[in-house]
């Protein structure tokens, strides 16, 4: 081809218009960037940059290597951030490389439509990954719940004290599943499992006493101190509602075992922490009835046991909070003196003279105005005699003022000893007398026989006026460590008796009452 006026040929046109230096086609650039966001390098393929597509595939491969297999705990968020940043870099690079499309070039698919479809791939992958991660998490959580179930099962055959660590470990696992993954199916199963654990831990076990139920309930009641979340609070509230009954049962059981000090703790907790429960509101009346039963027992066959029980209830009632209990305790003190007398009398008749002395001395010392204090004093005298002469303990001495209406006997007792003489007797009448020492007398080296009380000395003496009858006497000298003389004799109203007491070097001796004829003046009345 030539041009008029020139002899030089004109070159043919290029096969396609030039693109270098032309402005970017925004449609092509957007399509390439959108395709690269798929993570498959499709934007590079669209632009025919094959090597760059390989870099996009490597980026996605790294992500798949990190993410698969899907773990229960998921993938670190930093990997997702880095991958997203990489996709943005790839998209920006595709936008940069995009140029106008060559004339006559036709895509198999509309580029924008293809971009949207390919972009759905990472979105779908994300959804599928999340679903797989959730299923893996559920499996892991179910495994944790199953392991905790095993702890509960093994703990069920032991006492709570021996199984507390297992229960605590199981609770920790249950509450962790519930608290850390609240929206999972496993978390939804936790409340039922907690209820089953609670029932197993608080179940009554054969052979355990009534107080054994308190430990597991207190354990659950204190859960909010160690665990957070509504489930710990729910179990604590349930335990608080269940506590009044075993607190009451524990206290009553301990009172039945005469462990009043042990009963104070559960009763005090019941009254202080659960004052509105029926077990607390009816406790005063219940304990008052038990106290009254102990009072009734003072007149029974075991007065000493009833007295101890009464005193135990009085101590318990005085320790419990509330005026009602204080009034019951004060009212329970009134029968104590009668209990002391009944107990002391029972011990006297059973031959336990030391025990009788303990009870009756308390009555005489602490309750001297009581109407039985005088009789208690006579029984104390009889107990001292009976310790030396068992016949004196065969029956209680008569109460003061109950006898003495018949004939009386005069008994004069002289002391021919430098030591004080104490004379105790029991029979139709009970009493004691002390005869002062004789300063002009001395201890005889041997038995003086009828020579005692014959010197021209004003011997210290005492004169007894007693109802006639059989008596048990005890003669002793408290200042000496010497044997005592205990004798039984009958006092006849037809006679006046004069006795002489003396001391030998070997012992504190007394003339046999049957051998006093030489010193006894018989006087017809």
């Amino acid at each position: 081809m030539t041009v008029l006026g020139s002899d030089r040929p004109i070159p043919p046109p290029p096969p396609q218009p030039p693109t270098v230096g032309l402005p970017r086609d925004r449609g092509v650039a957007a399509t390439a960037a959108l395709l690269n966001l798929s993570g498959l390098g499709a934007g590079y393929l669209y632009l025919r940059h094959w090597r760059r597509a390989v870099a996009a595939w490597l980026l996605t491969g790294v992500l798949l290597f990190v993410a698969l297999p899907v773990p229960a705990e998921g993938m670190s968020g930093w990997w997702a951030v880095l991958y997203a940043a990489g996709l943005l870099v790839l998209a920006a690079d595709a936008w940069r490389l995009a140029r106008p499309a060559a004339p006559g070039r036709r895509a198999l698919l509309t580029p924008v439509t293809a971009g949207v479809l390919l972009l759905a791939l990472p979105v779908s992958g994300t959804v599928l990954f999340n679903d797989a991660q959730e299923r893996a998490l559920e499996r892991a959580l179910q495994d944790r719940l199953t392991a905790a179930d095993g702890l509960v099962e093994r703990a069920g055959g032991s006492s709570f004290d021996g199984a507390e660590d297992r229960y605590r470990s199981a609770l920790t696992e249950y509450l962790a599943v519930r608290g850390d993954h609240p929206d999972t199916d496993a978390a939804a199963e936790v409340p039922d499992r907690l209820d089953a654990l609670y029932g197993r831990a608080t179940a009554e076990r054969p052979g355990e006493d009534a107080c054994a139920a308190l430990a597991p309930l207190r354990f659950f009641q204190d859960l909010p101190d160690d665990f957070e979340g509504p489930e710990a609070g729910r179990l604590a509230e349930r335990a608080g509602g269940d506590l009044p009954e075993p607190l009451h049962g524990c206290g009553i059981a301990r009172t039945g075992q005469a462990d009043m000090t042990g009963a104070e703790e559960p009763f005090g907790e019941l009254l202080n922490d659960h004052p509105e429960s029926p077990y607390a509101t009816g406790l005063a009346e219940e304990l008052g009835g038990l106290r009254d039963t102990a009072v009734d027992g003072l007149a029974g066959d075991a007065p000493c046991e009833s007295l101890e029980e009464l005193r135990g209830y009085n101590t318990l009632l005085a320790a419990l909070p509330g005026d009602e209990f204080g009034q019951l305790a004060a009212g329970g003190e009134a029968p104590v003196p009668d209990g002391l007398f009944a107990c002391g009398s029972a011990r006297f008749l059973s031959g336990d003279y030391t025990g009788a002395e303990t009870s009756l001395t308390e009555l005489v010392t602490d309750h001297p105005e009581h109407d039985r204090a005088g009789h208690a004093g006579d029984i104390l005298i009889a107990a001292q005699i009976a310790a030396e002469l068992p016949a004196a303990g065969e029956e209680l001495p008569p109460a003061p003022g109950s006898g003495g209406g018949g004939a009386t006997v005069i008994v004069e007792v002289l002391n021919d000893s430098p030591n004080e003489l104490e004379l105790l007797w029991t029979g139709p009448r009970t009493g004691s007398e002390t005869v002062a020492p004789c300063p002009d007398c001395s201890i005889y080296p041997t038995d003086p026989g009828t020579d005692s009380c014959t010197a021209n000395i004003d011997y210290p003496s005492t004169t007894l006026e007693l109802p006639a009858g059989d008596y048990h006497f005890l003669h002793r000298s408290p200042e000496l460590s010497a044997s005592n003389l205990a004798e039984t004799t009958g006092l006849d109203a037809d006679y006046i008796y004069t006795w002489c007491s003396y001391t030998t070097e070997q012992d504190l001796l007394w003339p046999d009452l049957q051998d006093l004829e030489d010193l006894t003046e018989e006087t017809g009345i």
Side-chain angles (χ1 to χ4, degrees):
M1 178 179 181
T2 58
V3 179
L4 183 64
S6 171
D7 56 357
R8 296 166 50 181
I10 298 175
Q16 60 183 18
T19 59
V20 177
L22 295 178
R24 178 180 292 108
D25 186 325
R26 292 184 177 275
V28 172
T31 299
L34 184 64
L35 291 171
N36 262 7
L37 288 177
S38 69
L40 301 178
Y44 289 134
L45 296 178
Y46 173 67
L47 298 175
R48 290 177 171 77
H49 288 275
W50 315 114
R51 293 181 180 178
R52 290 180 180 267
V54 173
W57 297 340
L58 289 175
L59 177 64
T60 299
V62 170
L63 177 67
L64 293 176
F65 177 79
V66 172
L68 298 177
V70 180
E73 63 275 10
M75 182 181 64
S76 173
W78 286 108
W79 288 107
V81 171
L82 291 175
Y83 182 68
L87 291 180
L88 291 176
V89 170
L90 294 178
D93 187 51
W95 175 279
R96 181 182 63 82
L97 295 175
R99 287 294 181 267
R105 177 181 176 186
R106 182 171 60 86
L108 296 178
L109 296 174
T110 303
V112 174
T113 303
V116 172
L117 292 176
L118 289 175
L119 184 60
L121 290 177
V123 174
S124 300
T126 301
V127 173
L128 293 174
F129 177 84
N130 289 337
D131 180 69
Q133 189 269 331
E134 288 178 2
R135 284 186 278 109
L137 176 61
E138 286 289 352
R139 289 193 298 270
L141 294 179
Q142 287 295 340
D143 290 342
R144 291 171 63 182
L145 292 181
T146 300
D149 293 343
L151 290 174
V152 175
E153 185 68 25
R154 290 193 295 274
S158 306
S159 66
F160 181 80
D161 290 339
E164 180 177 352
D165 290 341
R166 287 177 176 170
Y167 286 125
R168 183 177 293 277
S169 297
L171 268 171
T172 301
E173 201 67 19
Y174 288 150
L175 293 176
V177 170
R178 179 76 169 176
D180 297 342
H181 308 280
D183 298 327
T184 61
D185 293 339
E189 298 176 11
V190 167
D192 290 340
R193 281 178 158 86
L194 289 175
D195 290 338
L197 183 150
Y198 181 95
R200 184 174 289 270
T202 58
E204 184 177 352
R205 293 171 178 81
E208 289 186 336
D209 65 18
C211 299
L214 297 180
L217 290 174
R218 286 169 173 162
F219 168 81
F220 287 108
Q221 192 177 39
D222 294 338
L223 284 183
D225 295 338
D226 301 322
F227 299 95
E228 296 181 355
E231 288 301 317
R234 180 177 71 85
L235 291 177
E237 184 178 357
R238 179 178 176 181
D242 291 343
L243 260 173
E245 182 178 1
L247 284 172
H248 171 268
C250 175
I252 292 298
R254 286 180 172 171
T255 59
Q257 299 163 358
D259 182 11
M260 301 302 179
T261 301
E264 181 180 340
E265 179 187 356
F267 281 152
E269 183 177 345
L270 173 64
L271 294 169
N272 288 321
D273 298 346
H274 310 278
E276 301 302 323
S277 72
Y279 295 101
T281 56
L283 185 60
E285 181 179 357
E286 184 176 12
L287 291 181
L290 293 173
R291 191 275 318 272
D292 292 342
T293 300
V295 173
D296 295 339
L298 297 177
D301 296 331
C304 295
E305 289 79 357
S306 296
L307 175 62
E308 289 305 309
E309 188 176 356
L310 169 61
R311 290 182 136 173
Y313 279 116
N314 288 343
T315 301
L316 173 62
L317 291 167
L320 295 179
D323 294 340
E324 190 173 7
F325 294 99
Q327 293 170 2
L328 286 171
E333 292 298 326
V336 168
D338 289 325
L340 289 170
F341 182 85
C343 177
S345 300
R347 287 174 171 171
F348 175 86
L349 292 173
S350 68
D352 180 11
Y353 303 118
T354 301
E357 184 175 359
T358 299
S359 299
L360 296 174
T361 299
E362 181 181 351
L363 171 58
V364 171
T365 302
D366 297 347
H367 309 278
E369 303 301 323
H370 193 268
D371 56 4
R372 290 190 168 182
H375 196 186
D378 286 352
I379 300 174
L380 280 171
I381 293 173
Q384 297 178 67
I385 300 171
E388 301 279 351
L389 187 64
E394 293 178 355
E395 60 182 8
L396 292 175
S402 62
T408 59
V409 180
I410 303 298
V411 180
E412 183 180 16
V413 182
L414 307 177
N415 188 11
D416 187 4
S417 169
N419 303 297
E420 183 179 80
L421 169 67
E422 186 178 14
L423 180 65
L424 293 79
W425 66 90
T426 185
R429 183 175 296 170
T430 302
S432 65
E433 283 286 348
T434 299
V435 184
C438 175
D440 297 326
C441 301
S442 60
I443 296 177
Y444 289 98
T446 59
D447 188 349
T450 58
D451 292 334
S452 62
C453 293
T454 58
N456 189 21
I457 297 175
D458 186 10
Y459 293 100
S461 64
T462 186
T463 300
L464 310 178
E465 186 173 350
L466 303 173
D470 294 332
Y471 284 85
H472 307 287
F473 285 93
L474 176 64
H475 313 259
R476 64 189 180 187
S477 183
E479 299 173 355
L480 296 179
S481 177
S483 61
N484 302 321
L485 178 63
E487 294 288 349
T488 299
T489 187
L491 298 182
D492 192 334
D494 292 335
Y495 296 91
I496 294 176
Y497 298 86
T498 302
W499 296 340
C500 179
S501 170
Y502 54 85
T503 305
T504 67
E505 292 179 355
Q506 290 79 21
D507 205 348
L508 175 64
L509 298 180
W510 285 90
D512 189 283
L513 293 179
Q514 297 178 354
D515 295 331
L516 293 179
E517 296 181 358
D518 294 336
L519 293 177
T520 300
E521 177 182 353
E522 298 184 10
T523 305
I525 303 300

